[in-house]
Amino acid sequence: MFCRSIGYQTVLRAAEDLIQKASFRLPEGVEKALRSADSGGDGPGRDSLEMIQRNMDVSAREKVPLCQDTGLAFFYIRLGGSVVIEGGSLEGALNEAAASQYASLFLRKSVVKSPLRRINTGTNTPVIIHYEIVEGDELEINFMAKGGGSENKSRMSMLNTDAGEEGVLQFVLDTVTEAGPDPCPPLFLGIGMGGSFDHAPWLAKKALFRPVRQRHPDPLMAALEEKITSHVNTLSGVGIQGFGRGVTVLDTFIETAPCHIASFPLAVNINCHSARYAQVVL
Ligand code: SF4
């Protein structure tokens, strides 16, 4: 069987570059969405939006972090079935990349050893890795620096099977309204629908990697993405940084999976305006 070898050092360097790229410059689509966001007119919302825009410029120019919360390091890996990592493990390379970059770029280390002991690991590791084994000989590495504020306000629910679109709209609206200013709106919403109790939140996180304004290929889901954005923007009253004016949600992305006949798993993973992610294919 044909195997393609990718060296440990190649993976390490690629992951380091991704962390650096994502920490100082937002993806093009996120930048565009923030620059053209509805500020809601004069007031603190508009002032905050202008500060967010200036912050993006300073961060890119001076190579300083986009936010003081430099995030938990997430990797979403799509690993071709014929790829072999030579000279070490993939997990080892991703953890080493995070440890080295969070140190050398002076990014805050935000990982504690356990929720109860709360002792900082000092390296921003371990990273969180989700794998998908796919056909082919490529290794796709997606990195996301995810802030605690938006992660804390994310929610999961097992809806009744007859909840329908109305149930989804209500749960997402309740989640964003209860979150208020805490996840630093304007937001991006990742919605995981289906799968199981453990799978739906992963789908919601995966959805956040999709480029801004790229709709789901299923027209029903694409329409629901638009509907959720507009529903929350009309009814939540949250607005920019929670000041009640301007846009609350910049875009919504749904990922779905089949589920049990008796279940309707639904997860909402909120991402803040500082939506830091990047991708490379080796
Ligand atoms: S929610 Fe985002 S913008 Fe707000 S503090 Fe956390 S990482 Fe920073």
Side-chain angles (χ1 to χ4, degrees):
M1 188 187 122
F2 168 78
C3 281
R4 177 177 169 229
S5 294
I6 302 178
Y8 179 91
Q9 291 297 328
T10 304
V11 178
L12 173 62
R13 298 293 163 244
E16 286 179 339
D17 287 349
L18 282 186
I19 294 170
Q20 181 165 161
K21 189 173 167 194
S23 298
F24 304 137
R25 176 124 218 183
L26 293 173
E28 197 184 336
V30 174
E31 265 200 30
K32 269 193 194 159
L34 283 166
R35 292 203 193 278
S36 59
D38 172 15
S39 67
D42 286 345
R46 182 183 185 150
D47 296 344
S48 300
L49 186 62
E50 285 173 1
M51 273 187 254
I52 288 170
Q53 292 164 347
R54 279 205 303 280
N55 183 64
M56 289 192 297
D57 296 334
V58 172
S59 181
R61 192 175 62 237
E62 312 282 337
K63 295 267 184 292
V64 290
L66 282 149
C67 179
Q68 47 75 33
D69 184 348
T70 52
L72 201 54
F74 280 89
F75 286 96
Y76 160 35
I77 301 294
R78 286 169 56 82
L79 178 66
S82 54
V83 173
V84 174
I85 309 298
E86 215 169 33
S89 70
L90 181 51
E91 193 173 326
L94 300 179
N95 276 288
E96 189 180 335
S100 79
Q101 292 307 87
Y102 274 75
S104 64
L105 301 173
F106 303 104
L107 305 176
R108 192 184 80 186
K109 287 83 180 172
S110 307
V111 179
V112 291
K113 281 182 189 163
S114 97
L116 288 180
R117 292 207 174 86
R118 311 218 63 94
I119 298 165
N120 200 301
T121 64
T123 56
N124 215 54
T125 63
V127 302
I128 294 180
I129 310 172
H130 290 278
Y131 294 96
E132 278 179 6
I133 309 298
V134 296
E135 280 189 22
D137 60 0
E138 291 183 335
L139 168 62
E140 180 185 307
I141 307 175
N142 298 275
F143 168 74
M144 181 179 288
K146 189 70 167 60
S150 58
E151 203 69 359
N152 290 346
K153 296 297 164 179
S154 300
R155 294 281 180 270
M156 198 276 170
S157 181
M158 301 298 280
L159 301 185
N160 290 332
T161 51
D162 62 354
E165 280 194 11
E166 285 309 311
V168 173
L169 288 167
Q170 192 61 51
F171 182 70
V172 179
L173 178 62
D174 290 346
T175 301
V176 175
T177 306
E178 281 164 27
D182 294 0
C184 300
L187 311 171
F188 296 92
L189 301 179
I191 312 289
M193 204 187 297
S196 54
F197 178 76
D198 56 315
H199 194 54
W202 157 235
L203 292 174
K205 174 70 85 284
K206 180 178 166 179
L208 289 174
F209 284 95
R210 189 165 347 129
V212 175
R213 307 271 175 263
Q214 188 181 104
R215 295 280 61 88
H216 194 285
D218 176 348
L220 179 71
M221 292 304 148
L224 185 55
E225 288 172 344
E226 301 278 10
K227 218 183 273 184
I228 290 172
T229 301
S230 137
H231 188 70
V232 177
N233 280 331
T234 307
L235 296 178
S236 74
V238 174
I240 296 167
Q241 293 292 308
F243 286 117
R245 303 279 292 275
V247 69
T248 304
V249 173
L250 292 166
D251 208 356
T252 302
F253 313 95
I254 299 173
E255 288 291 322
T256 60
C259 63
H260 192 282
I261 49 168
S263 300
F264 191 153
L266 181 68
V268 181
N269 196 189
I270 295 178
N271 208 356
C272 59
H273 68 269
S274 198
R276 294 154 290 178
Y277 53 89
Q279 182 198 78
V280 69
V281 180
L282 298 177

